[in-house]
Amino acid sequence: WNDIGAGLTPDGYIVYEQVIKVNDSEAPEFVIPAIDGCIVDTDCDTDITIPYPDILDQCSANFEVDLSGDFGDFTDIAGDITIDDVVPGEYTVYYVVTDNCGNSSYDEVTIVVEDCKLPTPYCLNGIVVEIMQTGMIDVWASDLNLGSFDNCPGALKFSFSPDVDDIGVTYTCDDLGQQPVEIWVTDVAGNQDFCETFIVVQD
């Protein structure tokens, strides 16, 4: 600009280049889908699928997903990871999700692997008991077991109802004849099933 007289007049122009950088500084958000840890097979183990997270970030097109924990380390996974023959227990998996700008988010999930298969009850096809001189007779639910079993190791409990403490019944002279009963079998994980049979009470 030149100062000519009382006014200003332009005599050229200036070119200036400005670089504007837009940076993503927000860590990506993600959600870990539910993981099924139920054992329903005859073997006391199951295959566990560790899912690829649902990533909610809108800035990056690609993400690096790393896993670590009780099942080992997995770097830059591209999808679900399957772990074979996992036995009952609690397992922890740590997730790290990193976007294109180097921002990372962290989360962890506890996977509970448990026996969900019902035990297999087998009952004797009835038993006969006799009232004693005391005027009564005690019968235990386990007396009617005929080889019940479960897919997982551990002692089974036998009862006359879903109440695991209902293990015995007392019959008196008022109970003569055939008495229908249910024998409930409970495994270590608390799963229950039952079979029906009867007790013949004689004098």
Side-chain angles (χ1 to χ4, degrees), residues 90-102:
E90 289 192 2
Y91 304 88
T92 302
V93 176
Y94 302 95
Y95 281 74
V96 180
V97 177
T98 305
D99 62 20
N100 285 345
C101 295

Side-chain angles (χ1 to χ4, degrees), residues 3 39 52 63 66 70-71 78 93 126 156 163 174 185 191 200:
D3 187 1
I39 297 174
Y52 192 86
F63 300 89
D66 301 325
D70 294 327
F71 298 122
V93 176
L156 298 176
D163 181 358
D174 295 331
V185 182
N191 302 304
V200 177

